[in-house]
Amino acid sequence: MADMPEISIIIVTYNTADLIGPCLNSVYENVGVEPEVFVVDNASEDGTARVVEDRFPGVHLTTNGFNRGFAAANNQVLPLCRGRYIFYLNPDAKFTGSHDLKTALVYMDGHPQIGLAGCRLINPDGSHQESISRRYPGETYLDGSMSGLKGSIASVLGAAMIARGDLVRRLGGFDETFHLYGEDQDLCLRIRKAGYEIGHIDDAVVLHWGGQSERHSLPAQVWKKKTLAEFAFYRKHYPTQVVKRIWKADLLKARYRLLTLGLSIPFLTGEAKQRARGKRIKYRAVHETLKTMCADGRRERLARGRN
C-alpha cells in the first residue's frame, strides 16, 4: 500500500510529562521519514497523557487505567502498527539530529541479516552511554550454549532500538513476564535464536536521560525489580542447575559486600560515604530479594508435594 508508513514508533510513558514533549518534538523534527507514532500511557499521575493529547494531535494515544508494565504496553499497540519497522523509543530519550530515523531505516535496509539494532546513546552532558552487551547476564555459568548464535552483540539497551516488524510480530513482541527491565535482553536473545543478528547504528544518536520513569521509586524498590527481572531471564533461558548456581553466587556476593561496606562506612566521609551507603542499599535489596525468592521456591515445592 502506498500510504503504509515505513516506521511505526512506540513510546510507553509513565509519569514523564516533562520529557514526552521534547521526545515527540525530536521525532517530528526528523526528515526523510514519516513515521506513525503510538504513545501508550501506563496510568500516569502527572498529566503525561494530557500533554500528548493537547500538543500532539497526530499521535495515536492509548491511556491505560493501570500500569500494565513496559512489555505489555508495547505489545498492546503492536497489532495496530503498519510499519515495515518497529522503533521502540523511551520517553526520556530524544533524537539529536534531523536524520536519525532515516539513518536507522537505511541501516536496516542495507543489513538484511540484522533483526534488531540499537542507536548510539549519549548522556545529557554529551558523554558516551554504554548500551551494548557482548554477553548475556550470567552467561559465564553456561557451557558455551550461546556460541552458535549469530553476530557478536548479545543485546542493546531498549531506550532506542529498531526492529523488523514482521519478525517482531512473529515472535509475539516482548515477553510480558517482564514487567520492567530485562525485556530488551530477552527479545534480543529470541531474535538471535531466530537466526538474525543484533546491530548497532553508530550514526543515529539519541540522548537518553535514563531511569526517569523510576525517579520517584525508592532505590531499594528499583534494585528489587532489577533482580527479579534478571532471574526471570535466567529461568526462561538457562538450565535449572545453572540458575541455582547463579543464585548462590549472587547471594554470597551480596552478603560479602554488605559485610565489607558495614566495616568501611564508619571510616569514610563526604561523597565516598554517600556512594558506599548507596551500594549498601543496593546489596541489601538484592540480598532480601534473593532470600524471598528461595522461600517462595520452597513453598511452591511443598505445595506441589501435597498435590
Side-chain angles (χ1 to χ4, degrees), residues 109-125:
D109 280 347
H111 297 81
Q113 78 278 16
I114 300 293
L116 178 150
C119 296
R120 176 156 64 94
L121 301 183
I122 60 172
N123 295 306
D125 63 1

Side-chain angles (χ1 to χ4, degrees), residues 219-252:
Q221 294 173 332
V222 174
W223 283 112
K224 177 180 178 180
K225 292 175 186 177
K226 288 183 175 180
T227 303
L228 289 172
E230 199 165 278
F231 275 83
F233 180 88
Y234 296 149
R235 285 192 294 268
K236 179 175 180 179
H237 296 289
Y238 296 172
T240 302
Q241 291 305 314
V242 171
V243 178
K244 288 180 179 178
R245 286 174 58 201
I246 296 173
W247 179 86
K248 289 178 181 178
D250 284 1
L251 187 65
L252 211 64

Side-chain angles (χ1 to χ4, degrees), residues 8-274:
S8 299
I9 298 178
I10 305 178
I11 305 169
V12 174
T13 57
Y14 179 68
N15 291 336
T16 48
D18 56 333
L19 297 168
I20 189 60
C23 173
L24 287 170
N25 282 333
S26 77
V27 170
Y28 288 113
E29 287 167 1
N30 265 259
V31 297
V33 180
E34 293 186 9
E36 59 176 2
V37 183
F38 295 85
V39 170
V40 184
D41 185 70
N42 263 335
S44 293
E45 298 174 347
D46 66 347
T48 299
R50 191 163 55 251
V51 171
V52 177
E53 191 172 28
D54 291 347
R55 292 176 51 189
F56 301 94
V59 169
H60 303 278
L61 175 64
T62 299
T63 56
N64 290 328
F66 63 98
N67 190 342
R68 297 190 59 182
F70 180 79
N74 273 289
N75 290 349
Q76 192 175 347
V77 294
L78 184 59
L80 306 177
C81 295
R82 300 174 297 146
R84 291 195 294 121
Y85 296 105
I86 307 296
F87 198 108
Y88 295 105
L89 183 65
N90 279 10
D92 61 351
K94 67 175 185 177
F95 296 108
T96 62
S98 60
H99 292 84
D100 290 321
L101 271 176
K102 183 66 175 180
T103 298
L105 176 68
V106 170
Y107 175 89
M108 294 298 287
D109 280 347
H111 297 81
Q113 78 278 16
I114 300 293
L116 178 150
C119 296
R120 176 156 64 94
L121 301 183
I122 60 172
N123 295 306
D125 63 1
S127 61
H128 170 74
Q129 184 176 118
E130 189 57 54
S131 62
I132 299 174
S133 296
R134 301 288 176 180
R135 307 188 73 153
Y136 297 103
E139 189 177 341
T140 53
Y141 290 88
L142 298 175
D143 296 326
S145 60
M146 300 289 190
S147 59
L149 298 174
K150 292 188 176 181
S152 60
I153 298 177
S155 63
V156 291
L157 195 64
M161 58 187 192
I162 183 171
R164 300 190 182 280
D166 56 349
L167 175 61
V168 170
R169 294 183 188 95
R170 190 166 76 245
L171 294 175
F174 288 113
D175 182 343
E176 297 180 18
T177 302
F178 299 89
H179 184 83
L180 183 64
Y181 305 118
E183 65 285 313
D184 44 6
Q185 292 174 323
D186 171 74
L187 181 59
C188 286
L189 179 52
R190 287 189 287 131
I191 284 174
R192 293 181 77 197
K193 286 182 176 180
Y196 290 85
E197 296 180 23
I198 304 300
H200 182 256
I201 312 169
D202 197 59
D203 293 330
V205 185
V206 174
L207 187 154
H208 180 223
W209 277 272
Q212 296 303 296
S213 293
E214 288 275 77
R215 56 189 154 173
H216 301 302
S217 299
L218 294 173
Q221 294 173 332
V222 174
W223 283 112
K224 177 180 178 180
K225 292 175 186 177
K226 288 183 175 180
T227 303
L228 289 172
E230 199 165 278
F231 275 83
F233 180 88
Y234 296 149
R235 285 192 294 268
K236 179 175 180 179
H237 296 289
Y238 296 172
T240 302
Q241 291 305 314
V242 171
V243 178
K244 288 180 179 178
R245 286 174 58 201
I246 296 173
W247 179 86
K248 289 178 181 178
D250 284 1
L251 187 65
L252 211 64
K253 178 181 178 181
R255 286 174 176 168
Y256 173 76
R257 294 296 286 134
L258 286 171
L259 176 63
T260 55
L261 286 165
L263 292 172
S264 62
I265 284 175
F267 302 98
L268 300 174
T269 59
E271 290 185 7
K273 191 165 195 170
Q274 288 300 109

